[in-house]
Amino acid sequence: MSLATDAADKPTLYKRIRADIEKRILTGEWPPGHRIPFEHELVARYGCSRMTVNKALSELAQADLIERRRRAGSFVRRPQHLSAVLKIADIRAEITALGRAYGYELIGRKLRTATAADRDRLGVKKAGKVVAIACRHSADNVPFAVEDRLIDLSSVPDAATADFSREPPGSWLLHHVPWTEAEHTISAIVADDRAAEALDIAVGAPCLVIDRYTWRSARTITAVRLLYPGDSHRLVARFKGG
Amino acid sequence: MSLATDAADKPTLYKRIRADIEKRILTGEWPPGHRIPFEHELVARYGCSRMTVNKALSELAQADLIERRRRAGSFVRRPQHLSAVLKIADIRAEITALGRAYGYELIGRKLRTATAADRDRLGVKKAGKVVAIACRHSADNVPFAVEDRLIDLSSVPDAATADFSREPPGSWLLHHVPWTEAEHTISAIVADDRAAEALDIAVGAPCLVIDRYTWRSARTITAVRLLYPGDSHRLVARFKGG
DNA sequence: TTGACTTATATGTCTAGACATATAATCGTG
DNA sequence: CACGATTATATGTCTAGACATATAAGTCAA
């Protein structure tokens, strides 16, 4: 019987507070920039202790839905563009799932102290050790993608001794290192001599480029550039919306 | 004077507890499946109250780094698969959000009975009416993307009379038609004569292509192809792991 | 052996306080 | 008016308890 507002079942109080606020943000009732009620106001409204509303607000802040500023209050954060779920699986899994034979070839692997370019690419300031890896993935013996990767050893010490001659670094990392944030940048280029040779395509042919950066908290794990032949490969994202 | 482990500066206690645990997980000292110390053990180790370690563990759980089970304890989670939220905003909103001047130009608009090619593109069998739209988006008066769109009028009758000379069809649809499913296909091509002229780039220059199909229930709403200059435009997707 | 019941226990939620800290607003002074 | 010092206040962190709840593990009967 849904007679009352929504105290029907019985989620815990802080979850209800969180859900209430979340709903108002998502429906646009509280637009970006809107100041949500102060903790003491919510305490009064829900008749609970401050720690309870604090927990609700802290979780909303952790989820980037709101921003909290001392002395000023808590505010609805800006973004909320049209968002979609894009699944970019581990390449080995992707090819295997397509029912094609996966091939992997390690082209090069170097362990070095981070150069200025490496630090710039990883977005770190201190010069620690890194592993640079170049490799090629193929499907049914046809080049599928070339990979150029940098792994920060201060974040992933085990990568120094991992055997990447048989297991692709992407798969290895996925199974050994949890990540909290990542960023993909997708762009297009035309193949230069080196790319053309590695992918067995013509110089000047279009290539799809995916630059992926992965972090654990604020710490960089790895930066990878994947080059796909653009006319044969397609990145498909299917998702549900609202 | 970094003599101790890392109590040098002074993050709050619960953050230090969280960081300590996180580090052990990252280094592999506590592999997936490992049971981390019970709250009361951490309370003893850090000499604090249970709420403090609870906050640290709760955040690690919210970040999916650990899994907490009543009566059993807290366990290191297996690293998650790579599935991500890709944000592809409405182009007008995207450019505006960048703080650049949005420009829009309708190149052509045709209302016609669906041709075989149209039906194929929309994935429909019956020959209904469609609107074909070609337009160009610019940022600070520089071509940003060209759009080639087909709208199924049997799904969106209002589109027949909508004024697309001022409002881009993407924004119009986003605000008038709810969608339930969409699919993006991203690929790379080199510019042909027509694309080169529209985007003001050289013939043979790389272009990023996004083909987007949108449905409501099983009904096609629209199919659109967006062409971006590949060397200047980047599609950025930032997301949280899970 | 299997299933049902009981118990012990780790986490989940909550309270009513406390002090710390960053900072928006205000006040004073040059 | 400009600028530095002061103050008020909202959030940040923490405590020492409490009771709730799910469930692993043990117990006992069929």
Side-chain angles (χ1 to χ4, degrees):
Chain A
M1 297 281 133
S2 58
L3 58 124
T5 49
D6 56 349
D9 33 9
K10 202 165 69 69
T12 59
L13 181 52
Y14 92 87
K15 281 183 180 164
R16 218 187 82 214
I17 299 173
R18 177 159 65 81
D20 283 357
I21 295 170
E22 204 168 311
K23 184 193 266 179
R24 297 202 202 220
I25 293 174
L26 293 180
T27 59
E29 186 183 335
W30 287 348
H34 177 89
R35 209 210 76 228
I36 75 174
F38 294 131
E39 291 189 350
H40 67 84
E41 295 175 300
L42 292 169
V43 161
R45 177 176 315 176
Y46 289 95
C48 62
S49 83
R50 208 190 119 216
M51 277 303 287
T52 301
V53 313
N54 183 280
K55 175 153 185 157
L57 295 180
S58 293
E59 287 198 2
L60 287 169
Q62 210 188 330
D64 274 343
L65 252 154
I66 65 172
E67 184 189 349
R68 313 197 72 199
R69 292 203 300 273
R70 272 174 155 134
R71 162 76 211 240
S74 302
F75 301 83
V76 177
R77 286 199 47 158
R78 282 204 301 95
Q80 260 64 296
H81 290 287
L82 171 61
S83 77
V85 176
L86 169 65
K87 290 189 188 217
I88 301 177
D90 164 46
I91 295 179
R92 182 172 63 180
E94 186 183 351
I95 293 175
T96 305
L98 288 170
R100 303 169 69 183
Y102 175 70
Y104 169 72
E105 186 189 347
L106 180 63
I107 298 171
R109 176 187 173 284
K110 282 191 196 115
L111 198 155
R112 62 175 178 242
T113 301
T115 64
D118 291 343
R119 294 199 302 275
D120 189 49
R121 192 170 166 203
L122 289 171
V124 296
K125 283 167 192 158
K126 279 198 62 180
K129 297 269 185 195
V130 299
V131 187
I133 296 161
C135 59
R136 182 166 67 171
H137 308 266
S138 59
D140 289 340
N141 288 318
V142 176
F144 187 82
V146 287
E147 175 176 336
D148 176 24
R149 182 186 293 267
L150 216 53
I151 301 176
D152 187 339
L153 285 182
S154 65
S155 297
V156 194
D158 285 357
T161 54
D163 179 15
F164 294 130
S165 65
R166 299 181 59 197
E167 182 170 26
S171 305
W172 185 88
L173 283 166
L174 212 54
H175 291 99
H176 286 77
V177 185
W179 54 278
T180 57
E181 276 173 286
E183 183 180 290
H184 286 171
T185 300
I186 303 168
S187 57
I189 62 168
V190 292
D192 58 14
D193 295 350
R194 211 170 128 247
E197 199 198 322
L199 288 173
D200 196 19
I201 56 177
V203 173
C207 288
L208 199 60
V209 183
I210 300 181
D211 286 296
R212 182 191 298 163
Y213 301 89
T214 313
W215 296 273
R216 153 99 258 142
S217 298
R219 193 156 200 170
T220 307
I221 296 172
T222 185
V224 58
R225 164 166 280 209
L226 296 162
L227 218 62
Y228 298 86
D231 52 352
S232 66
H233 188 74
R234 278 162 174 13
L235 204 61
V236 180
R238 201 171 223 274
F239 46 89
K240 306 219 163 175
Chain B
M1 45 158 87
S2 59
L3 59 124
T5 50
D6 55 352
D9 34 8
K10 201 165 71 65
T12 58
L13 181 51
Y14 92 87
K15 281 182 181 166
R16 217 186 84 213
I17 298 173
R18 177 159 64 82
D20 282 358
I21 296 171
E22 203 168 311
K23 182 192 270 181
R24 297 206 202 221
I25 294 174
L26 284 180
T27 59
E29 186 182 334
W30 289 348
H34 177 90
R35 208 209 78 225
I36 75 174
F38 295 130
E39 290 190 350
H40 66 83
E41 295 176 298
L42 293 169
V43 162
R45 176 176 316 176
Y46 289 95
C48 62
S49 84
R50 209 190 118 215
M51 278 302 286
T52 300
V53 313
N54 183 279
K55 175 152 186 161
L57 295 180
S58 293
E59 288 197 2
L60 287 170
Q62 208 188 334
D64 277 339
L65 239 159
I66 66 171
E67 185 188 349
R68 313 197 74 199
R69 292 203 299 274
R70 271 174 157 136
R71 163 74 211 237
S74 303
F75 301 83
V76 177
R77 283 195 49 158
R78 200 165 294 110
Q80 292 78 35
H81 281 285
L82 196 51
S83 79
V85 176
L86 168 65
K87 296 187 183 200
I88 300 178
D90 163 43
I91 295 178
R92 183 172 63 179
E94 186 182 354
I95 293 175
T96 304
L98 287 171
R100 302 169 70 184
Y102 175 70
Y104 168 72
E105 186 189 347
L106 180 63
I107 297 172
R109 178 187 171 283
K110 283 194 194 116
L111 197 156
R112 63 176 178 241
T113 300
T115 64
D118 291 342
R119 294 200 301 276
D120 189 49
R121 191 170 167 202
L122 288 171
V124 297
K125 285 168 190 157
K126 278 197 64 179
K129 296 270 184 192
V130 298
V131 187
I133 296 161
C135 58
R136 182 165 67 171
H137 307 265
S138 59
D140 289 339
N141 287 318
V142 177
F144 188 82
V146 287
E147 174 176 336
D148 175 23
R149 183 187 292 269
L150 217 52
I151 302 176
D152 187 338
L153 286 181
S154 65
S155 297
V156 195
D158 286 357
T161 54
D163 179 14
F164 294 130
S165 66
R166 300 181 58 197
E167 183 171 26
S171 303
W172 186 88
L173 284 165
L174 212 54
H175 291 101
H176 286 77
V177 185
W179 54 278
T180 56
E181 274 175 288
E183 183 181 291
H184 287 171
T185 300
I186 302 168
S187 56
I189 63 167
V190 293
D192 59 14
D193 294 351
R194 209 170 129 247
E197 199 199 321
L199 288 174
D200 194 21
I201 57 176
V203 173
C207 289
L208 199 60
V209 184
I210 299 180
D211 287 296
R212 182 191 299 164
Y213 301 89
T214 313
W215 297 271
R216 183 177 51 215
S217 300
R219 194 157 199 170
T220 306
I221 296 173
T222 185
V224 58
R225 166 166 279 211
L226 295 162
L227 218 61
Y228 298 85
D231 52 352
S232 66
H233 188 75
R234 264 136 210 298
L235 201 64
V236 179
R238 202 171 221 278
F239 45 88
K240 303 217 163 180

